[in-house]
Amino acid sequence: MQNAEHATAAEPVIDVQSIPPHQRHPLILQATQDLAPGHGFILVNDHDPRPLYLQIQALFGDAVSWNYLERGPERWRVRIGRPDSGTAPATSLRVRIGRGGQAAAVAADTPLGVADGGLVCEITNCPPGTTAEQVLDLMHGVIPPAGQLHLTYERLLARRSGSCCGGMCG
């Protein structure tokens, strides 16, 4: 985490002060995921968004920068960006879930759906640098809802961090 960086005037501003708290992190994480190399946005909040910083670091690592522009006490401004030399964009991984819940990575061209007594689904939006082992660890005990063949990495992470199902139940 750096303390200061000059942002360009053309960068968008996301002011989350009027957004319901439960909608803030998903909105910001999606905006971060969508950043092209060399681009960023300014986050405005009414408190220090340090928990969000930790979540972004866990998801994106060094592929995303975090720079405080203003530090309270009434308003915090942070520039979130993707460096020009950032790593590749998010990727996906196909996983076969067996009847017992065990998960294994399969080839990227494996057809989605029921196969060989299990279900092949795709885990999407894996942050740059995410390994198959990390995805499989998050998949432990996951059984997707009927007909759901695509799960986002964020939902798996939410499930691991305390949500009963990571939003998979609705």
Side-chain angles (χ1 to χ4, degrees):
M1 177 172 27
Q2 300 173 358
N3 289 328
E5 181 178 294
H6 297 288
T8 66
E11 289 184 330
V13 174
I14 299 176
D15 186 340
V16 297
Q17 296 175 95
S18 63
I19 297 173
H22 69 278
Q23 293 177 356
R24 294 177 183 182
H25 282 213
L27 171 75
I28 297 163
L29 293 174
Q30 186 62 54
T32 304
Q33 178 70 40
D34 294 343
L35 284 174
H39 291 83
F41 62 89
I42 307 301
L43 170 68
V44 179
N45 205 350
D46 57 3
H47 64 276
D48 187 356
R50 180 137 175 90
L52 175 67
Y53 166 73
L54 297 173
Q55 190 174 14
I56 286 176
Q57 283 300 110
L59 287 169
F60 301 100
D62 292 337
V64 172
S65 63
W66 176 280
N67 302 292
Y68 282 99
L69 303 174
E70 185 178 344
R71 292 180 181 250
E74 295 173 11
R75 181 172 82 159
W76 276 258
R77 292 177 54 240
V78 176
R79 181 182 185 275
I80 299 172
R82 188 175 298 273
D84 278 326
S85 61
T87 58
T91 59
S92 63
L93 178 71
R94 293 214 175 175
V95 175
R96 182 184 171 281
I97 303 169
R99 288 184 185 186
Q102 68 280 14
V106 296
D109 61 351
T110 303
L112 297 174
V114 178
D116 300 323
L119 175 69
V120 175
C121 64
E122 186 164 28
I123 310 307
T124 61
N125 295 328
C126 298
T130 302
T131 65
E133 290 78 23
Q134 290 169 317
V135 173
L136 294 174
D137 182 53
L138 289 173
M139 289 293 300
H140 180 73
V142 170
I143 299 177
Q148 183 142 7
L149 301 177
H150 295 83
L151 301 172
T152 65
Y153 184 85
E154 291 86 5
R155 287 177 82 182
L156 294 175
L157 196 60
R159 178 182 175 271
R160 171 62 58 87
S161 61
S163 172
C164 67
C165 63
M168 290 182 206
C169 61

